[in-house]
Amino acid sequence: MADSAADIEAHGGGGLQTAKDLFSGAVGGIAQVLIGQPFDIVKVRLQTSTAYPSALAAATSIYKNEGALAFYKGTLTPLLGIGACVSIQFGAFHSARRWLEQRRAGLSGGSFTPGVHSLSYAEYYAAGAFAGVANSVISGPIEHVRIRLQTQPHGAARLYSGPWDCVRKLTAPAAGGVARGLYRGEAVTVLREAQAYGVWFLAFEWLMNADAERNGIARKDVSSWKVAFYGGLAGEALWLGSYPLDVVKSKMQTDGFGKDQRYKTMRDCFAQTWRAEGARGFWKGIGPTLLRAMPVSAGTFAVVEATMRAIN
């Protein structure tokens, strides 16, 4: 990630570089899950329940009543899926970035030289939003399954024996099938992903470029600890810019089925949350989310960068 476009492209054509982006993203995604899963389950419990007055109370209750391994409930699904998600995020972002650079070169009447036709920050946001929309196709059902597993009752009362049992039940006709069951909340997921990853990549690119300009160095010479730090700050920006959408997504994906369903649409979920909880209802769980965002996002960018430098 710290390499300039020219440095990256020098190691291979667009197809080869896309493959490298995808592979590096997959490795970063695995690191993201292992670092962030304990924080994520606390976030989901706070978003979808009124049983916990604070993040500490939620974490304490989970540990006391369900044991330490409960913090990794539902990990198999994201471990398999988030690697693919982050792979798509980085692959789609850099593919969109290269396309926008080529378009800018064409509009200026010159030949395309990687890294020369740099993008505006609006274009970085657009490339990140494109990556988020591309990612939402698989992140929607993956996160739905993970949330169902994280919030189900403990012990004999649990609803799903594992991720595949959860998928089977969510795709059953009684749950709405694939479209209304497994892909429940997909509309708000697309909106969240576009906003979140537009902000994520925009923030990271701005921080990296500002550091390189301030110190008179190339992007590839920005030190690894700074790459991780800027990645962590970008993670904070991601959640501050998209958290209300994430709350609505979590509520819809933990909702009941049939006569037990509370939220008919995304708009209905927004309206009910506002009436019942006001503005605060859209920010429940933001504390542990921001606490999680720094190490998770820092680890993701650091691992992706280290992998990219190794394979290049």
Side-chain angles (χ1 to χ4, degrees):
M1 280 298 300
D3 290 338
S4 69
D7 295 324
I8 289 176
E9 296 290 349
H11 292 285
L16 175 59
Q17 188 54 48
T18 297
K20 291 180 179 180
D21 294 335
L22 291 169
F23 177 74
S24 299
V27 177
I30 292 171
Q32 183 179 112
V33 172
L34 295 177
I35 296 169
Q37 186 73 358
F39 295 96
D40 194 66
I41 191 170
V42 173
K43 180 201 78 168
V44 170
R45 295 286 181 93
L46 286 170
Q47 286 179 338
T48 60
S49 172
T50 58
Y52 310 108
S54 67
L56 181 60
T60 302
S61 176
I62 292 168
Y63 180 77
K64 181 179 178 180
N65 297 320
E66 303 174 47
L69 291 179
F71 288 102
Y72 281 90
K73 266 187 175 181
T75 300
L76 179 60
T77 303
L79 196 60
L80 296 174
I82 298 301
C85 287
V86 180
S87 176
I88 290 172
Q89 290 160 19
F90 280 89
F93 171 75
H94 288 297
S95 292
R97 173 186 59 77
R98 286 189 284 270
W99 182 85
L100 288 168
E101 287 181 339
Q102 291 169 349
R103 178 176 176 274
R104 183 173 283 255
L107 292 175
S108 67
S111 59
F112 173 60
T113 302
V116 172
H117 300 278
S118 58
L119 302 182
S120 69
Y121 289 112
E123 288 171 317
Y124 279 127
Y125 176 87
F130 170 77
V133 172
N135 176 57
S136 68
V137 176
I138 62 172
S139 69
I142 287 170
E143 292 195 14
H144 189 187
V145 170
R146 176 171 64 174
I147 286 173
R148 292 284 177 185
L149 293 173
Q150 287 176 334
T151 57
Q152 69 173 331
H154 184 60
R158 67 179 185 171
L159 303 173
Y160 313 104
S161 61
W164 301 118
D165 181 53
C166 184
V167 170
R168 182 179 62 82
K169 290 178 178 176
L170 290 176
T171 55
V178 174
R180 294 182 178 273
L182 186 62
Y183 273 88
R184 173 180 286 186
E186 186 64 12
V188 72
T189 299
V190 171
L191 292 176
R192 187 204 67 170
E193 298 288 79
Q195 169 68 358
Y197 291 105
V199 170
W200 197 46
F201 284 108
L202 165 62
F204 181 75
E205 293 297 327
W206 180 79
L207 290 165
M208 289 289 292
N209 290 341
D211 186 285
E213 182 177 354
R214 184 171 58 250
N215 293 297
I217 59 175
R219 273 178 57 108
K220 67 182 179 64
D221 295 324
V222 175
S223 60
S224 295
W225 75 265
K226 286 185 176 180
V227 174
F229 180 59
Y230 296 152
L233 292 178
E236 302 291 315
L238 179 155
W239 284 110
L240 289 171
S242 64
Y243 197 77
L245 294 167
D246 188 68
V247 169
V248 171
K249 182 188 78 69
S250 292
K251 285 177 176 289
M252 293 186 72
Q253 292 183 337
T254 54
D255 198 9
F257 298 99
K259 61 182 178 61
D260 296 321
Q261 184 173 345
R262 292 180 58 194
Y263 310 114
K264 303 304 179 186
T265 63
M266 172 182 69
R267 185 175 178 179
D268 181 46
C269 186
F270 270 106
Q272 287 197 45
T273 301
W274 177 262
R275 285 196 300 268
E277 305 174 67
R280 291 184 64 183
F282 294 102
W283 295 97
K284 286 176 67 176
I286 187 64
T289 300
L290 293 179
L291 185 65
R292 167 188 182 272
M294 176 62 79
V296 168
S297 188
T300 301
F301 275 104
V303 170
V304 169
E305 162 67 8
T307 304
M308 184 64 73
R309 288 182 176 181
I311 63 179
N312 277 340

